[in-house]
Amino acid sequence: MMLLLEVINLITYYQTRRGYVRAVENVDFTVEKGEALGLAGESGCGKTTVALSLLKILPPNGRIMGGRILFKGKDLVKLSEDEMRKRIRWKGISLIFQGAMNALNPVLTIEDQIIEAIRLHEPNVSKKEAEERGKKLFELVGLEPNRIKNYPHEFSGGMRQRAMIAMAIACNPNILIADEPGTALDVIVQAQILKLLNELKQKLGLSLIVISHDLSLISEVCDKLVVMYAGKVVESGNIVRLFKDPLHPYTQALIRAFPDIKEERRKIESIPGNPPNLLNPPQGCRFHPRCKFAMDICKKEAPKLIEVSKNHYVACHLMEG
Ligand code: SF4
C-alpha cells in the first residue's frame, strides 16, 4: 500500500468573541491508497472541521493553529490558497458535503454544473470533452447518461447524491471525503450509495474518508476507524478489531449505542451526559465527566495516544501500564 495522506498533530480552532473554540486538537491519522477511513464521533466532535482543514476551506473564523497535513509528501498547511485551488481541491482531494440536496444549483442542469466544475479545474479540457466525461461519470455512478441534461429537482434524493459523487470524482481525485453520506436518505437508498462508494473504491483505487456519527454506516465501507471525542482522537485502528475489541471507554459506549444487524439482539445504550463545550473543555481527559472508569489522574492529565498493538492506538490512562 502507498501512503497518501498523513495528518500529524493537527490543531484547528475557531475564533469567537468569547475565545477560541478548540475544535480539533492533536489529531493524527494516515490514509493509504485505496483505503477507506471512517471518522466517527458525536456531532460537534470536530470530524467535519478535520475535513474542512484538509481542504483548507474553513469558515473565516477557523484557523489551522498547528500540525501538518502531508498529502503525497507535500504539507498542505504551507500551501497558498492559489496552490490549493489549482492543485489539490477536486484533483487531489474532493469533498461531498452533507445534504447533497442543497449543494446542487437548482437553476442549472446537472450537466452544466459538471462541465463547469471540470473546466474550472482543468481549463485545457474542451466543452465537448467535458460533456463526454460527464456522461461517462453518470454511467460510472449508476445513472442513465442522458439524465445528465436534467435539473436537480427532477432527481430523487438518491439520484442527486449519485450526481454529487459523479461531480466530486470528475477531476480524478485520489481521496474522496464523504461527510455524512447517509443524511436525509432512507435506509435502502443509503445502502445503495454505500455500495456505490465501495465500487468506486475498487474500480478507481480511490481512497475514502467517510465522516459519520453512525458507526454501522461506517462499518459498511471502511477498513479503518478513527474515533473522535471533543476534538481529539481517542482510538484508531483496523475497523474489525475495533468493533470486536474496543479499548477506549468512549468507543465501547459508541458501539453499544448502535444496533448491529448482523449480530444477535442486544440492548442499545445511550451515552449519559453531553459532549463538553470546546470553548472551555474539561482538564485532563475530556471524556472524564462521562466516563464510568474515571480515576483521579483523568481529571488532571490528558492521556496520550499510544500504540497498544500494531496500528491500534488508544488515548486512555487505563492503557498506561
Ligand atoms: Fe475514562 Fe480516564 Fe480513560 Fe478518560 S482516561 S477514558 S476518564 S479512564
Side-chain angles (χ1 to χ4, degrees):
M1 282 238 217
M2 188 185 109
L3 186 61
L4 209 53
L5 180 75
E6 198 174 358
V7 176
I8 306 164
N9 202 16
L10 179 69
I11 304 173
T12 304
Y13 289 174
Y14 294 105
Q15 194 164 22
T16 70
R17 265 192 239 152
R18 290 189 292 145
Y20 281 116
V21 174
R22 292 155 62 181
V24 166
E25 263 187 354
N26 317 107
V27 164
D28 293 294
F29 62 84
T30 57
V31 180
E32 316 253 355
K33 185 175 186 300
E35 183 179 52
L37 174 137
L39 210 49
E42 290 161 290
S43 86
C45 72
K47 41 194 200 315
T48 297
T49 301
V50 169
L52 301 179
S53 304
L54 296 184
L55 285 162
K56 303 220 293 188
I57 48 171
L58 289 157
N61 67 336
R63 203 168 134 205
I64 297 177
M65 309 293 281
R68 289 187 289 162
I69 301 169
L70 302 179
F71 174 63
K72 295 183 179 171
K74 202 174 284 298
D75 189 358
L76 303 187
V77 175
K78 293 194 183 126
L79 289 195
S80 67
E81 172 55 28
D82 200 43
E83 286 172 306
M84 283 301 293
R85 202 180 51 237
K86 287 193 182 139
R87 290 165 48 194
I88 307 298
R89 293 182 201 132
W90 291 76
K91 288 182 182 171
I93 308 174
S94 204
L95 169 70
I96 314 166
F97 284 101
Q98 275 182 47
M101 325 286 180
N102 309 325
L104 289 163
N105 186 335
V107 297
L108 292 177
T109 65
I110 311 262
E111 182 175 51
D112 285 343
Q113 297 183 57
I114 291 188
I115 290 174
E116 191 185 321
I118 294 173
R119 297 191 70 208
L120 191 72
H121 297 90
E122 294 179 41
N124 297 333
V125 174
S126 71
K127 191 165 178 247
K128 180 117 189 41
E129 282 167 339
E131 271 173 23
E132 273 160 26
R133 199 193 290 182
K135 286 201 177 113
K136 283 201 186 117
L137 285 164
F138 252 47
E139 229 175 312
L140 188 66
V141 299
L143 291 169
E144 169 59 44
N146 291 332
R147 295 292 305 266
I148 199 167
K149 306 241 176 250
N150 287 142
Y151 287 89
H153 73 264
E154 296 173 286
F155 275 17
S156 66
M159 289 163 81
R160 270 188 286 229
Q161 184 77 279
R162 282 176 194 267
M164 282 301 300
I165 294 172
M167 205 184 300
I169 58 171
C171 299
N172 300 313
N174 304 98
I175 301 178
L176 176 65
I177 307 175
D179 192 359
E180 298 287 0
T183 307
L185 299 176
D186 68 53
V187 280
I188 293 168
V189 180
Q190 186 179 304
Q192 290 165 352
I193 295 295
L194 297 179
K195 188 164 165 265
L196 171 63
L197 288 175
N198 259 326
E199 284 167 7
L200 294 176
K201 184 179 151 224
Q202 308 291 346
K203 274 191 209 159
L204 308 176
L206 199 63
S207 302
L208 300 172
I209 299 180
V210 178
I211 298 176
S212 182
H213 66 285
D214 183 344
L215 277 182
S216 38
L217 183 151
I218 284 182
S219 70
E220 293 291 322
V221 193
C222 296
D223 313 295
K224 193 151 91 183
L225 177 65
V226 174
V227 180
M228 288 185 69
Y229 182 77
K232 295 197 172 205
V233 173
V234 294
E235 185 161 5
S236 69
N238 173 280
I239 195 155
V240 178
R241 198 162 56 184
L242 252 69
F243 266 71
K244 232 171 115 195
D245 190 18
L247 295 178
H248 194 283
Y250 179 66
T251 315
Q252 292 167 355
L254 203 61
I255 288 174
R256 281 197 300 269
F258 280 96
D260 186 336
I261 46 166
K262 290 180 196 131
E263 286 195 357
E264 57 187 82
R265 273 209 220 187
R266 60 174 159 78
K267 199 166 159 257
I268 295 176
E269 295 171 36
S270 64
I271 308 172
N274 291 311
N277 179 351
L278 294 180
L279 260 173
N280 191 13
Q283 287 284 336
C285 172
R286 290 185 177 176
F287 189 54
H288 86 253
R290 300 171 78 185
C291 180
K292 57 184 176 192
F293 305 105
M295 306 167 279
D296 272 351
I297 188 175
C298 306
K299 296 177 193 152
K300 295 178 204 137
E301 269 181 47
K304 290 196 177 67
L305 196 65
I306 52 171
E307 193 172 18
V308 290
S309 58
K310 196 169 183 318
N311 295 327
H312 185 176
Y313 295 83
V314 184
C316 172
H317 288 304
L318 291 172
M319 298 294 125
E320 293 166 2

